[in-house]
Amino acid sequence: MEGVDHLAHERSKAQFDVDEMKIVWAGSRHSFEVSDRISRLVASDPVFRKDNRTMLARKDLFKNTLRKAAHAWKRIIDLRLTEEEAKTLRFFVDEPAYTDLHWGMFLPAIQGQGTDEQQEKWLPLAYKMQIIGCYAQTELGHGSNVQGLETTATFDPQKDEFIINSPTLTSSKWWPGGLGKISTHAVVYARLITDGQDHGVHGFIVQLRSLDDHLPLPGITVGDIGMKFGSGAYNSMDNGVLRFDNVRIPRDQMLMRVSQVTREGKYMQSNVPRQLVYGTMVFVRKTIVSDASCALSRAVCIATRYSAVRRQFGSQKGGVETQVIDYKTQQSRLFPLLASAYAFRFVGEWLSWLYTDVTQRLQAKDFATLPEAHACTAGLKSLTTSATADAIEECRKLCGGHGYLSSSGLPELFAVYVPACTYEGDNIVLLLQVARFLVKTVSQLVSGKKPVGTTAYLGRVELLMQSRPNVQKAEDWLQPSVIVEVFEARATRMSVACAKNVSKFPSLEEGFAELSADLVEAAVAHCQLIVVSKFIEKLQQVIPGKGVKEQLLNLCYIYALFLLHKHLGDFVSTGCITPKQASLANDQLRSLYSQVRPNAVALVDAFNYTDHYLSSVLGRYDGNVYQNLYDEAWKDPLNESVVPDGYHEYVRPLLTQQLRNARL
Amino acid sequence: MEGVDHLAHERSKAQFDVDEMKIVWAGSRHSFEVSDRISRLVASDPVFRKDNRTMLARKDLFKNTLRKAAHAWKRIIDLRLTEEEAKTLRFFVDEPAYTDLHWGMFLPAIQGQGTDEQQEKWLPLAYKMQIIGCYAQTELGHGSNVQGLETTATFDPQKDEFIINSPTLTSSKWWPGGLGKISTHAVVYARLITDGQDHGVHGFIVQLRSLDDHLPLPGITVGDIGMKFGSGAYNSMDNGVLRFDNVRIPRDQMLMRVSQVTREGKYMQSNVPRQLVYGTMVFVRKTIVSDASCALSRAVCIATRYSAVRRQFGSQKGGVETQVIDYKTQQSRLFPLLASAYAFRFVGEWLSWLYTDVTQRLQAKDFATLPEAHACTAGLKSLTTSATADAIEECRKLCGGHGYLSSSGLPELFAVYVPACTYEGDNIVLLLQVARFLVKTVSQLVSGKKPVGTTAYLGRVELLMQSRPNVQKAEDWLQPSVIVEVFEARATRMSVACAKNVSKFPSLEEGFAELSADLVEAAVAHCQLIVVSKFIEKLQQVIPGKGVKEQLLNLCYIYALFLLHKHLGDFVSTGCITPKQASLANDQLRSLYSQVRPNAVALVDAFNYTDHYLSSVLGRYDGNVYQNLYDEAWKDPLNESVVPDGYHEYVRPLLTQQLRNARL
């Protein structure tokens, strides 16, 4: 961040205290301090450079990632980083690696599903990285439907062992990160079979590779599944394929916290409630929502800064052109994404609270709120990841042609982000789960069952089926209560309509199947209401700092009114608002864009991202875009020689009309 | 296509004559025959294999592309291919290369803007590829605004030469394909300056590299601009950067068909109408629309076949699961894209007619329909490329996790396609041009000026402001006249509203600037109407073949009703349809999906794509997906060794707790 600040003028226009906004974004002064310190530490370490990533061939990229992972672990040990700091460091290293799965899936699986003895045995090994683990669930033929997995774990009472086997090609484990080349162990999900009986899918700890020479153990076929989207992106990860040819493991390597197999081969349930798995799901999905706000804010930061640097049109005869951020088309595409970044940040924060709440209730064996919490996190995972994936690509387009260059950072950000729409629950499948929950909630209203948590509003169904907002002029939209009511009314009416239409079919299942597209839309309406409400709730708290709350309020209105316009059909056709009110909302939106405009660059500065993390020439803090684009170009391997490799064999024969004789 | 056909059952369900549909898709029996023969020729030639493309490092990828381009040229000569066949061959080689710009931009620029003498001199050289050319227009700081280009061409009357110069960093030419490493010549766009006077941007033929040793000529700095989106994609192309340090060229290398500089340095306009450039634009954009239908149909073909192979959920205890294509959520996402592919195909066909019509009129110096034709092609370029880019990504998501693998073909297809949204006119900038034309057309109605061509419907403004469709039950939507009227009404009301609102601002320019987001939406409404109308017009022709027309009619209704649902806010808030009618349209849509379902695989077979062209394991004709995914995985470079490179340096020290001593 040295030298001239080309964006200084933009920064001087901000009408709020950026340092205070940084605290709000980080969640607390402490979080800000940790993230600020660790991100700079990573940025200043040459081992962690990533600007050359897209130019590396697969093997070099992978080797370099191994190096970074080892270096990160060394730094964590040398600097005696806390768990929070270590996690932050891995986050800012910002390169998918086998360690993500070791820490993020393998360890939690043992913590969640292992008995105390199993935890005592395996966790210390894993904590010290004396073993490296992955999470082997999905198979070549089986993803969303976990109950359809084909891998078997058959108990052999004679030897007190399980025999893990891949009976078909489609039962090959496929996708697990870290599996392909690195993991020594895996938690493998397989159908438990005792005495010829299938007890469904359970988890088993299986050693895959020798700790001496890293070779696969007998009966194990393992490898990488090949290139994925993007040039860097997830190609630094060894997503793997794994087949078992009757591999034997001791009985005590079945994860037995919830169910057990005895020495005699008897299958038993423990008294630990099965609902515990939902707690883990809530945890994983809250992380995904918070990651969404990071990826989205990163793309928005790049697009906003570049939109302030880039000028096009609007001058007469060679004068200074207009900054593209001053165009209303640019604003109407960019600012709702900026608002979404803040919205997702705050709903992620709220999900952390929800997770704590769920955990405490689970400990007290209170399962009443669990289905609602589960539906809510499933829906928010779906909503935020889909919106973020689309938004990254929109930000890329907002950067015009230069957004297509790898050095813009956006192609890689997109390629590395999009799997979030599929993993941990396909986004459409998740929305259908939410919709089923909503329909169920609505149909139980007549029996007097009170909806809880984020569905509480459905308890006011009669009011919400009738309500009409009191909006007569554009400014009338600037009332949180009006916004919330309109979103509640829309979500209610769509859920009620679905419940009604589903009930017309011969069976509920048939109704759900036929109307699934409508159900998905009702679920989206519900989830958007949650995000809008939580944004508004956040603003009801005390938020210090000059102008900070005012900016957030503007962004909150932009988020809501943008959604209202985007889903206008929902709102108008259910009679929640009139066409006239919709038009007033649009007028208000334009005026809000004008208010955000002078603050836009400062609002993305508040994310406090280093240039290293952004990894984008277009998003540089100092706005010195063109010189750096130019300098960056010459680093491409093709520029190593003036006359390119292949010219003499394949171009010269054309030019000299010697093609007929050429050997190609 | 040998061995077992896993999709045979799907194919047997088709209710129409696939071979006849192939002719309809190709446009004529002749086109089908050429495309079928040439695509097989390319597919069977080992030099043209592309399955290894994403694994190659940049330099190897580039060299391989040079090889393919030379081989393609050799085949064209050896087999004495016609121009049509040669073009088809380059299309099916399906790898961006310098030759695209040589044939697609360099030659047409000289044909369109060169005098007869210039054409006589340069075209034979270019036709034989004795010189290789590119099209150097955009600059580092200047894209959409061509009038803002900074490169100068100053006439030196003493030496009868132009001095081409890059006065600033931002004036560096940036992006031209084929420029970076290969082109020997370029058509360079620069501000013409004679006697201190700036005459705006003109084209000049400039030699860049020596024909002896391929080194850049004195004063020329040229190179590649670096990696772009995706791992293969456009990285096979040498998009370049170019700077001129007072490079001199003879006066007769200015393209002088439309304007000239005399020996004395006098700037003159010729009597050739400037409108000719619009003819070229119509040509280029018609090609882009037809390419959109190719890219979209390719993605849809992959997603449809895989959706018929993939099974998930729906079984009890290990039985056969449900094909994902049977889920209504999958259908409601996939079938509208299938319908769009056909819709774009037919509107592309119509644009070919329009181009012929425009050319004939230009020759007769009839410029009356030109603005309308220009707006229409600009809008259709924007509409079809944006929809196609989104659709490819949607198809990728419809393939679940496996769509993220490079071997699915979809990541590369997306990465190689998306620049179409930006090049040849940024899609939003183009829509604003359309909107301006619409507003102008509307405001001229009062003066009695009759709108022509695709805007003719605006002549019935009074009727369309009032019209209400006679739709009382779902089947009432199955009437072409009803569909067209509803789309006309919506487009009219949105254009009229824009015209009205724009006129409320102090100046028209201010109104256009403030309301640009609304204007874009009105333009989209107009363009969608065109696509819907042309689809319907196509179906009014005689179309032979059992069941062919019935299938196309279903797809046409799906396309229209899908848009109606997607843009429900437009239709309902302008009062074009009632919420009840919208709901009936949705019911009809579901029923149409059920009718398309048994024909889906056959409808994508009708595209007649070879497995080579699709380049997708998921989209294989024979549906043998899993075995081939599995086999493909082992080809990744990471699988060359069992223990990966880097293990000993960066993984073993962790496992053995020797990290402290390790050198990283």
Side-chain angles (χ1 to χ4, degrees):
Chain A
M1 302 189 189
E2 57 193 17
V4 180
D5 180 1
H6 295 251
L7 290 170
H9 177 63
E10 283 295 329
R11 296 192 164 104
S12 72
K13 287 193 283 190
Q15 296 155 317
F16 68 99
D17 185 332
V18 181
D19 288 333
E20 286 293 338
M21 189 66 92
K22 287 181 180 175
I23 310 296
V24 175
W25 178 263
S28 72
R29 203 162 289 275
H30 169 75
S31 295
F32 169 75
E33 187 279 322
V34 171
S35 140
D36 185 64
R37 179 163 43 84
I38 301 288
S39 68
R40 284 166 201 276
L41 186 117
V42 172
S44 64
D45 191 329
V47 175
F48 294 134
R49 68 175 282 210
K50 43 183 187 155
D51 53 339
N52 57 346
R53 201 159 47 183
T54 59
M55 291 173 222
L56 298 177
R58 179 88 205 272
K59 279 167 87 167
D60 298 327
L61 174 69
F62 186 69
K63 186 174 178 182
N64 198 35
T65 302
L66 297 183
R67 181 174 178 229
K68 287 185 187 181
H71 186 65
W73 187 228
K74 194 168 176 354
R75 297 300 285 160
I76 288 166
I77 293 169
D78 289 352
L79 299 171
R80 297 170 191 274
L81 298 189
T82 65
E83 206 172 315
E84 181 192 12
E85 288 167 334
K87 213 171 145 182
T88 308
L89 185 136
R90 279 193 295 268
F91 174 82
F92 281 115
V93 168
D94 185 41
E95 188 157 300
Y98 68 91
T99 42
D100 300 350
L101 286 301
H102 177 77
W103 296 106
M105 299 290 281
F106 180 70
L107 269 157
I110 297 174
Q111 285 162 338
Q113 298 160 49
T115 61
D116 290 348
E117 303 80 59
Q118 289 176 319
Q119 297 197 29
E120 267 165 47
K121 174 175 174 186
W122 295 100
L123 291 183
L125 293 168
Y127 275 129
K128 289 192 216 148
M129 297 200 84
Q130 290 178 283
I131 61 172
I132 297 169
C134 66
Y135 186 89
Q137 181 178 301
T138 53
E139 297 176 354
L140 190 48
H142 310 277
S144 296
N145 183 18
V146 179
Q147 295 314 315
L149 293 178
E150 293 179 82
T151 305
T152 51
T154 310
F155 185 62
D156 173 1
Q158 294 221 295
K159 297 211 172 167
D160 198 21
E161 288 173 340
F162 290 108
I163 305 164
I164 314 285
N165 195 42
S166 309
T168 61
L169 180 75
T170 47
S171 75
S172 309
K173 293 293 171 188
W174 190 269
W175 275 118
L179 166 65
K181 292 283 146 186
I182 299 302
S183 294
T184 61
H185 290 67
V187 169
V188 173
Y189 289 86
R191 317 194 73 80
L192 170 64
I193 294 165
T194 60
D195 202 15
Q197 220 195 324
D198 184 333
H199 301 284
V201 174
H202 291 72
F204 301 82
I205 300 176
V206 184
Q207 183 171 351
L208 306 175
R209 291 180 168 95
S210 156
L211 291 172
D212 294 325
D213 57 13
H214 205 63
L215 292 178
L217 296 184
I220 284 176
T221 305
V222 63
D224 186 273
I225 57 169
M227 286 290 287
K228 291 146 287 185
F229 206 163
S231 37
Y234 260 95
N235 293 305
S236 58
M237 176 75 88
D238 53 332
N239 296 90
V241 47
L242 170 65
R243 299 201 66 181
F244 298 101
D245 180 7
N246 294 304
V247 172
R248 289 177 167 270
I249 58 167
R251 182 171 55 89
D252 68 3
Q253 286 180 214
M254 168 176 161
L255 292 169
M256 297 220 201
R257 190 168 178 204
V258 174
S259 33
Q260 289 111 32
V261 171
T262 65
R263 176 66 191 89
E264 295 72 37
K266 207 177 146 212
Y267 179 72
M268 294 169 59
Q269 301 283 341
S270 79
N271 56 0
V272 175
R274 300 185 77 83
Q275 286 89 341
L276 276 180
V277 282
Y278 290 109
T280 314
M281 270 189 175
V282 172
F283 177 79
V284 173
R285 288 173 183 165
K286 118 190 147 63
T287 311
I288 294 179
V289 171
S290 126
D291 288 348
S293 76
C294 293
L296 175 52
S297 55
R298 189 167 159 179
V300 166
C301 179
I302 295 169
T304 302
R305 286 180 182 164
Y306 181 62
S307 296
V309 169
R310 181 73 172 178
R311 293 170 177 274
Q312 206 74 188
F313 290 110
S315 77
Q316 308 297 339
K317 291 244 162 197
V320 180
E321 295 174 292
T322 305
Q323 289 168 284
V324 299
I325 199 172
D326 283 328
Y327 291 105
K328 272 281 177 305
T329 39
Q330 194 84 354
Q331 294 177 7
S332 66
R333 295 162 74 198
L334 181 58
F335 293 168
L337 305 182
L338 174 60
S340 304
Y342 277 92
F344 294 174
R345 191 72 179 179
F346 298 141
V347 84
E349 225 172 55
W350 172 76
L351 278 177
S352 294
W353 169 85
L354 183 73
Y355 173 64
T356 316
D357 183 63
V358 163
T359 312
Q360 284 168 357
R361 285 172 191 266
L362 281 176
Q363 278 158 0
K365 309 227 162 153
D366 165 10
F367 306 128
T369 64
L370 207 53
E372 185 273 320
H374 182 247
C376 161
T377 50
L380 290 174
K381 183 272 178 184
S382 173
L383 182 82
T384 57
T385 55
S386 287
T388 297
D390 292 348
I392 295 169
E393 174 60 7
E394 182 75 354
C395 285
R396 197 189 61 71
K397 291 203 184 106
L398 284 166
C399 292
H402 298 344
Y404 190 64
L405 285 169
S406 297
S407 59
S408 78
L410 291 165
E412 282 305 287
L413 184 55
F414 183 73
V416 87
Y417 188 76
V418 287
C421 297
T422 312
Y423 62 57
E424 284 300 314
D426 173 88
N427 279 354
I428 299 297
V429 174
L430 290 180
L431 288 175
L432 284 172
Q433 290 176 9
V434 175
R436 276 175 180 268
F437 179 73
L438 290 172
V439 168
K440 196 175 158 191
T441 305
V442 166
S443 50
Q444 287 176 341
L445 286 175
V446 284
S447 67
K449 188 168 175 192
K450 243 186 125 120
V452 296
T454 55
T455 52
Y457 70 97
L458 289 171
R460 288 179 284 118
V461 59
E462 277 161 42
L463 191 77
L464 290 169
M465 292 300 285
Q466 305 297 335
S467 72
R468 294 186 160 278
N470 184 15
V471 171
Q472 272 142 23
K473 51 189 193 304
E475 305 82 63
D476 289 342
W477 277 113
L478 303 181
Q479 301 171 73
S481 59
V482 168
I483 299 274
V484 171
E485 192 185 316
V486 164
F487 274 79
E488 284 179 346
R490 166 207 182 205
T492 302
R493 294 175 199 195
M494 289 175 78
S495 285
V496 168
C498 280
K500 214 168 103 187
N501 292 334
V502 163
S503 71
K504 288 180 196 158
F505 283 82
S507 79
L508 215 61
E509 278 319 299
E510 219 172 302
F512 273 118
E514 270 298 305
L515 300 176
S516 55
D518 297 353
L519 288 160
V520 164
E521 291 178 4
V524 167
H526 171 69
C527 296
Q528 289 177 342
L529 163 64
I530 301 177
V531 181
V532 168
S533 309
K534 296 307 161 191
F535 203 152
I536 287 174
E537 279 177 24
K538 172 81 187 177
L539 297 180
Q540 281 156 357
Q541 298 170 14
V542 176
I543 299 178
K546 176 187 155 261
V548 170
K549 201 173 207 167
E550 288 74 7
Q551 292 305 318
L552 293 176
L553 204 54
N554 281 346
L555 291 175
C556 179
Y557 288 129
I558 286 177
Y559 181 70
L561 296 181
F562 154 75
L563 287 181
L564 189 139
H565 181 65
K566 188 176 169 197
H567 299 271
L568 191 56
D570 291 357
F571 288 95
V572 176
S573 71
T574 54
C576 292
I577 63 170
T578 64
K580 174 71 191 161
Q581 289 171 330
S583 161
L584 292 173
N586 256 6
D587 294 344
Q588 188 53 56
L589 208 42
R590 274 203 310 282
S591 142
L592 287 162
Y593 293 154
S594 301
Q595 290 171 59
V596 165
R597 166 64 190 90
N599 298 287
V601 168
L603 282 167
V604 302
D605 284 350
F607 305 145
N608 198 42
Y609 292 144
T610 61
D611 281 350
H612 172 272
Y613 179 65
L614 287 178
S615 195
S616 165
V617 174
L618 305 186
R620 291 172 62 92
Y621 181 85
D622 67 6
N624 189 9
V625 166
Y626 293 120
Q627 186 64 54
N628 283 282
L629 271 178
Y630 190 81
D631 295 346
E632 206 58 36
W634 300 102
K635 296 180 190 162
D636 192 90
L638 268 193
N639 288 326
E640 282 165 14
S641 60
V642 177
V643 176
D645 197 15
Y647 165 78
H648 290 284
E649 301 97 305
Y650 307 127
V651 181
R652 191 159 175 78
L654 270 71
L655 293 168
T656 55
Q657 310 288 295
Q658 303 292 315
L659 196 62
R660 270 175 209 276
N661 317 320
R663 278 211 215 160
L664 300 178
Chain B
M1 301 191 188
E2 58 195 11
V4 180
D5 180 2
H6 294 252
L7 289 170
H9 178 63
E10 285 293 332
R11 297 192 164 107
S12 72
K13 287 193 283 191
Q15 297 156 315
F16 68 99
D17 184 332
V18 181
D19 287 333
E20 286 295 335
M21 188 67 92
K22 286 181 181 175
I23 310 296
V24 175
W25 177 264
S28 71
R29 204 162 289 273
H30 169 76
S31 295
F32 168 77
E33 187 279 322
V34 171
S35 141
D36 184 63
R37 179 165 43 86
I38 301 290
S39 68
R40 285 166 200 275
L41 186 118
V42 171
S44 64
D45 191 329
V47 175
F48 294 133
R49 69 175 281 208
K50 44 183 186 153
D51 53 340
N52 57 346
R53 200 159 51 184
T54 60
M55 292 174 220
L56 298 177
R58 180 87 205 273
K59 280 166 87 166
D60 298 327
L61 175 69
F62 187 69
K63 186 175 176 181
N64 199 35
T65 303
L66 297 184
R67 181 174 177 229
K68 288 186 187 180
H71 186 65
W73 188 228
K74 194 170 175 350
R75 297 300 283 159
I76 289 166
I77 295 170
D78 289 352
L79 299 172
R80 299 169 188 274
L81 298 189
T82 65
E83 207 172 316
E84 182 192 12
E85 289 167 332
K87 213 171 145 184
T88 308
L89 185 136
R90 279 193 295 270
F91 174 82
F92 282 115
V93 168
D94 185 41
E95 188 156 299
Y98 68 92
T99 42
D100 300 350
L101 286 300
H102 177 77
W103 296 106
M105 300 289 282
F106 180 69
L107 269 157
I110 297 175
Q111 285 162 337
Q113 297 160 50
T115 60
D116 291 346
E117 303 81 60
Q118 288 176 319
Q119 298 196 30
E120 267 165 48
K121 175 177 175 186
W122 295 100
L123 291 183
L125 293 169
Y127 275 129
K128 290 192 217 148
M129 296 200 86
Q130 289 178 285
I131 61 173
I132 297 169
C134 67
Y135 186 89
Q137 179 178 303
T138 54
E139 297 176 353
L140 191 49
H142 310 278
S144 296
N145 183 16
V146 178
Q147 296 314 315
L149 293 177
E150 293 179 83
T151 304
T152 51
T154 310
F155 184 63
D156 174 1
Q158 294 221 295
K159 300 210 171 166
D160 197 23
E161 289 174 340
F162 290 106
I163 306 163
I164 313 285
N165 195 43
S166 309
T168 61
L169 179 74
T170 47
S171 74
S172 310
K173 292 294 171 189
W174 190 270
W175 275 118
L179 166 66
K181 292 283 146 187
I182 300 300
S183 295
T184 60
H185 290 68
V187 169
V188 173
Y189 289 85
R191 316 194 73 80
L192 169 65
I193 294 165
T194 60
D195 202 16
Q197 219 193 324
D198 184 334
H199 301 284
V201 174
H202 291 71
F204 302 83
I205 299 176
V206 184
Q207 183 173 352
L208 306 175
R209 292 179 167 95
S210 156
L211 290 172
D212 295 325
D213 57 12
H214 206 65
L215 291 177
L217 297 182
I220 284 175
T221 306
V222 63
D224 185 274
I225 59 169
M227 286 290 287
K228 290 145 288 185
F229 205 162
S231 36
Y234 261 95
N235 293 303
S236 57
M237 177 74 88
D238 54 331
N239 296 91
V241 46
L242 170 65
R243 300 202 65 181
F244 298 100
D245 182 8
N246 295 304
V247 171
R248 289 177 167 268
I249 57 167
R251 181 171 56 88
D252 67 5
Q253 286 179 215
M254 169 175 159
L255 291 170
M256 298 218 200
R257 187 167 180 206
V258 175
S259 35
Q260 290 110 30
V261 172
T262 65
R263 176 64 193 89
E264 295 73 37
K266 206 174 147 218
Y267 178 73
M268 292 167 60
Q269 302 283 342
S270 78
N271 57 359
V272 175
R274 301 185 76 83
Q275 287 89 336
L276 275 181
V277 282
Y278 290 109
T280 314
M281 269 189 175
V282 172
F283 177 78
V284 173
R285 287 174 184 163
K286 121 191 146 60
T287 312
I288 294 179
V289 171
S290 126
D291 288 347
S293 76
C294 293
L296 175 51
S297 55
R298 189 167 159 179
V300 166
C301 180
I302 296 169
T304 302
R305 287 181 182 163
Y306 181 62
S307 295
V309 169
R310 182 72 172 178
R311 294 171 178 273
Q312 206 75 186
F313 290 111
S315 78
Q316 309 298 338
K317 291 246 163 195
V320 180
E321 294 174 292
T322 306
Q323 289 169 285
V324 301
I325 199 171
D326 284 328
Y327 291 105
K328 272 282 176 308
T329 40
Q330 194 83 355
Q331 294 177 7
S332 67
R333 294 161 74 197
L334 180 60
F335 292 168
L337 305 182
L338 174 60
S340 305
Y342 278 92
F344 295 175
R345 190 72 179 180
F346 298 142
V347 84
E349 223 172 58
W350 172 76
L351 278 176
S352 293
W353 170 85
L354 183 73
Y355 174 65
T356 315
D357 183 63
V358 163
T359 312
Q360 285 168 355
R361 285 171 192 267
L362 280 175
Q363 278 159 358
K365 308 228 163 153
D366 163 11
F367 306 128
T369 63
L370 207 54
E372 185 273 322
H374 182 247
C376 162
T377 50
L380 290 174
K381 183 271 179 186
S382 174
L383 183 81
T384 56
T385 56
S386 287
T388 296
D390 291 349
I392 296 169
E393 174 60 6
E394 183 74 355
C395 285
R396 198 189 61 71
K397 291 202 182 106
L398 283 166
C399 293
H402 299 342
Y404 190 64
L405 285 169
S406 298
S407 59
S408 80
L410 292 163
E412 283 305 289
L413 184 56
F414 183 74
V416 86
Y417 189 75
V418 287
C421 298
T422 312
Y423 61 56
E424 284 299 314
D426 174 88
N427 278 355
I428 300 296
V429 174
L430 290 180
L431 288 176
L432 285 171
Q433 291 177 8
V434 175
R436 276 175 180 268
F437 179 73
L438 291 173
V439 168
K440 198 175 158 191
T441 306
V442 166
S443 50
Q444 288 176 341
L445 288 174
V446 284
S447 68
K449 189 170 174 190
K450 243 185 127 123
V452 296
T454 57
T455 52
Y457 69 98
L458 288 171
R460 288 179 283 119
V461 60
E462 276 160 45
L463 191 79
L464 290 169
M465 291 302 285
Q466 305 296 335
S467 71
R468 290 185 164 279
N470 184 17
V471 171
Q472 271 142 21
K473 51 189 194 302
E475 304 82 66
D476 290 343
W477 278 114
L478 302 182
Q479 301 171 72
S481 59
V482 169
I483 299 274
V484 171
E485 191 185 317
V486 164
F487 273 79
E488 284 180 345
R490 166 208 183 204
T492 302
R493 294 176 199 195
M494 290 175 77
S495 285
V496 168
C498 280
K500 215 168 102 185
N501 293 334
V502 163
S503 70
K504 289 181 194 155
F505 283 81
S507 78
L508 216 61
E509 278 318 301
E510 220 172 301
F512 273 117
E514 270 298 307
L515 299 178
S516 54
D518 297 352
L519 288 160
V520 164
E521 291 177 4
V524 167
H526 171 68
C527 297
Q528 289 177 344
L529 163 64
I530 301 177
V531 181
V532 168
S533 310
K534 297 306 163 192
F535 204 151
I536 287 174
E537 280 176 24
K538 171 81 187 176
L539 296 180
Q540 282 157 356
Q541 299 170 13
V542 176
I543 299 178
K546 178 189 152 257
V548 170
K549 199 172 206 168
E550 288 74 7
Q551 292 304 320
L552 293 175
L553 203 55
N554 281 346
L555 292 174
C556 179
Y557 288 129
I558 286 178
Y559 182 69
L561 296 181
F562 153 75
L563 287 181
L564 189 140
H565 180 67
K566 188 176 170 198
H567 299 272
L568 191 55
D570 290 358
F571 288 94
V572 176
S573 71
T574 53
C576 293
I577 63 169
T578 64
K580 173 69 190 160
Q581 290 171 328
S583 162
L584 292 173
N586 257 6
D587 293 343
Q588 188 54 56
L589 208 41
R590 274 202 310 282
S591 143
L592 287 163
Y593 293 154
S594 301
Q595 291 171 59
V596 165
R597 166 64 190 92
N599 299 288
V601 168
L603 283 167
V604 302
D605 283 350
F607 304 146
N608 197 44
Y609 292 145
T610 61
D611 281 350
H612 172 272
Y613 179 65
L614 287 177
S615 195
S616 165
V617 174
L618 305 187
R620 291 172 62 90
Y621 181 84
D622 68 5
N624 189 10
V625 167
Y626 293 119
Q627 186 64 53
N628 283 283
L629 271 177
Y630 190 82
D631 295 345
E632 206 59 35
W634 301 101
K635 296 179 188 162
D636 192 89
L638 267 194
N639 288 327
E640 283 164 15
S641 60
V642 177
V643 175
D645 198 16
Y647 166 78
H648 290 284
E649 303 96 304
Y650 308 127
V651 182
R652 190 157 176 80
L654 271 70
L655 292 168
T656 55
Q657 310 287 294
Q658 302 292 316
L659 196 63
R660 270 175 210 276
N661 316 320
R663 279 211 214 159
L664 300 177

